[in-house]
Amino acid sequence: SPLRGRTSGAMAPLAARRSTGLAAVAGALGLAAGSLQALSHAFLAPSPSSPPALRGLTTGSTLAGASVDVAGSSDVLAQARAALLARKALKVDLTGKVAFIAGVADTSGYGWAIARELANAGATILIGTWPPVLKLFEGTLKKASTNEARKLDDGSLMEIAKIYPLDAMFDAPEDVPDDVKTNKRYAGVGQYTIGEVVEQVKADYGKVDILVHSLANGPEVTKPLLETSRAGYLAASSASAYSLVSMVSRFAPMMPPGGSVLSLSYIASERVIPGYGGGMSSAKAQLESDTRTLAWEAGRKYGIRVNTISAGPLKSRAASAIGAGPGGKTFIERAIDYSTNNAPLTLPLYAENVGTTALCLSTDLMAGVTGMTMYVDMGLHAMGTAIDSPAYEGLDKPPMTPGSAN
């Protein structure tokens, strides 16, 4: 061996370097693997005089069983710890959190997308479904064809802990009219008013950390506002706006401080959208106004946040129910075409876009955000004119967003 004949004194520097190098590698691997002992020491016992990347680590600190010479491995340790902190900053863990999503009845809408993203982060998922479609929804979930929609990022299938029948038009049993009580579509579903469902959830889970209001209904939505009856107008407001007020007032007492309430709105709340009638535009305006007031009141009384997402058009089953007009196109098809042609981002809007935004708003990443209307519409809300208008004829057509279908 080339090392034969060398004295122990000559070997000492080499051994020291090897020891230092191995210790540095062991320390880096310990950090990268998330050694809990190292992290607890580093995070809970900071030294103000040390650089941020090395606080809590001193010469002789033990990481993953190795004695680390900080002076000889500071770069490796700093890089490893920085990477760990970056991963920690991006990780959202909702394990132990209970989320109640009201208004989910299929796998195509925003409510389902929000539920899926919350489940991805580990939350326990509870669903409130309109009683007349409850059995249909439960049957759909049992079909193998639904597995793809239930698939989470880790390959497992989203589990819904419990589905509650919920009719948000009614706060208590005495509010339910006789024609609903005797309706066969409500037969055998159990208790379904808001107050009753809240009591069931409280008995079953004891709390709700995240409350999502994905409810809207206007019986006269296809009618212009000028032709909307008082009953139709008030029904739209009751189902689409007051239901949020009722749910917050009843759920909030069992929501821990820091809890999140989220609803879904639409640009018709502040802009004229022909075809979105029956008082629904008024209901969405009420919803956004109530969001701000509820943020103030519930924030001061319970320490929870209240926000709404103004989502762009999506061809969900519910939206597609607004029938076709002249030319054979449905309202939602026209809305999507308009958005694609005129929004700053001409990319299609997916339910997942709203789902991930809702996830962020429901976590401590947005702990300082409340009373806000968050637009998730590819920027359409920012536009003051339509570039596909005849007024722009003769001008060069603006380029489409890279990656657009057109």
Side-chain angles (χ1 to χ4, degrees):
S1 167
L3 297 178
R4 283 177 187 168
R6 293 191 180 181
T7 65
S8 59
M11 290 289 290
L14 177 61
R17 288 195 297 272
R18 281 182 174 175
S19 175
T20 300
L22 289 173
V25 172
L29 290 175
L31 281 172
S35 170
L36 295 178
Q37 288 182 335
L39 285 176
S40 63
H41 178 74
F43 280 84
L44 298 180
S47 171
S49 61
S50 303
L54 296 175
R55 273 181 198 163
L57 297 178
T58 58
T59 303
S61 294
T62 300
L63 294 176
S67 179
V68 180
D69 181 356
V70 174
S73 57
S74 59
D75 290 343
V76 176
L77 290 174
Q79 292 173 11
R81 186 168 181 194
L84 181 65
L85 290 173
R87 286 194 296 276
K88 185 174 183 236
L90 293 173
K91 184 177 181 182
V92 173
D93 186 0
L94 296 181
T95 303
K97 304 291 187 181
V98 178
F100 184 90
I101 302 97
V104 180
D106 58 58
T107 62
S108 66
Y110 288 136
W112 177 269
I114 293 172
R116 182 185 175 280
E117 293 303 327
L118 294 174
N120 254 331
T124 298
I125 303 299
L126 311 178
I127 298 292
T129 299
W130 191 45
V133 299
L134 177 62
K135 291 181 180 178
L136 178 63
F137 181 48
E138 290 176 332
T140 299
L141 294 177
K142 295 176 182 178
K143 296 179 179 179
S145 58
T146 308
N147 286 350
E148 188 62 31
R150 293 176 57 200
K151 188 176 293 185
L152 300 178
D153 290 351
D154 63 1
S156 65
L157 298 182
M158 178 175 74
E159 295 293 336
I160 298 175
K162 188 170 182 178
I163 302 175
Y164 296 84
L166 173 66
D167 193 325
M169 288 288 287
F170 312 116
D171 298 324
E174 56 268 25
D175 299 331
V176 183
D178 290 338
D179 63 321
V180 173
K181 291 179 181 178
T182 58
N183 191 314
K184 293 181 179 179
R185 302 176 75 189
Y186 285 76
V189 299
Q191 300 174 323
Y192 51 81
T193 65
I194 292 176
E196 291 173 311
V197 171
V198 169
E199 290 304 314
Q200 292 177 60
V201 173
K202 185 176 181 180
D204 293 340
Y205 295 93
K207 66 165 185 173
V208 165
D209 300 278
I210 300 166
L211 178 62
V212 179
H213 177 282
S214 180
L215 295 164
N217 183 52
E220 299 180 14
V221 66
T222 59
K223 291 184 179 181
L225 188 59
L226 281 173
E227 300 173 13
T228 300
S229 69
R230 181 184 295 270
Y233 185 97
L234 295 177
S237 296
S238 178
S240 310
Y242 182 76
S243 55
L244 174 67
V245 177
S246 178
M247 288 176 62
V248 173
S249 68
R250 288 165 172 79
F251 272 105
M254 66 167 164
M255 296 183 71
S260 170
V261 178
L262 187 63
S263 64
L264 293 171
S265 189
Y266 183 47
I267 193 64
S269 64
E270 55 186 283
R271 299 284 188 271
V272 177
I273 307 294
Y276 195 70
M280 281 303 302
S281 57
S282 308
K284 291 302 185 182
Q286 293 169 44
L287 184 76
E288 293 182 12
S289 178
D290 292 343
T291 293
R292 294 184 286 272
T293 302
L294 289 171
W296 155 253
E297 294 181 358
R300 287 301 182 97
K301 189 171 184 179
Y302 300 108
I304 62 177
R305 300 180 296 110
V306 185
N307 294 290
T308 189
I309 292 177
S310 182
L314 176 75
K315 196 174 181 180
S316 64
R317 192 180 75 173
S320 299
I322 304 177
K329 277 190 175 182
T330 63
F331 164 80
I332 197 64
E333 288 171 338
R334 294 182 185 279
I336 291 172
D337 287 348
Y338 180 88
S339 179
T340 302
N341 287 322
N342 294 287
L345 297 177
T346 57
L347 301 168
L349 179 71
Y350 295 107
E352 182 183 2
N353 299 132
V354 170
T356 51
T357 302
L359 170 64
C360 189
L361 284 169
S362 300
T363 69
D364 290 341
L365 292 173
M366 289 286 193
V369 178
T370 192
M372 183 181 71
T373 298
M374 169 73 80
Y375 298 97
V376 185
D377 61 358
M378 298 301 175
L380 185 63
H381 70 280
M383 299 301 294
T385 186
I387 63 169
D388 60 359
S389 166
Y392 286 88
E393 288 182 2
L395 300 179
D396 291 338
K397 186 177 181 180
M400 304 294 281
T401 300
S404 300
N406 295 334

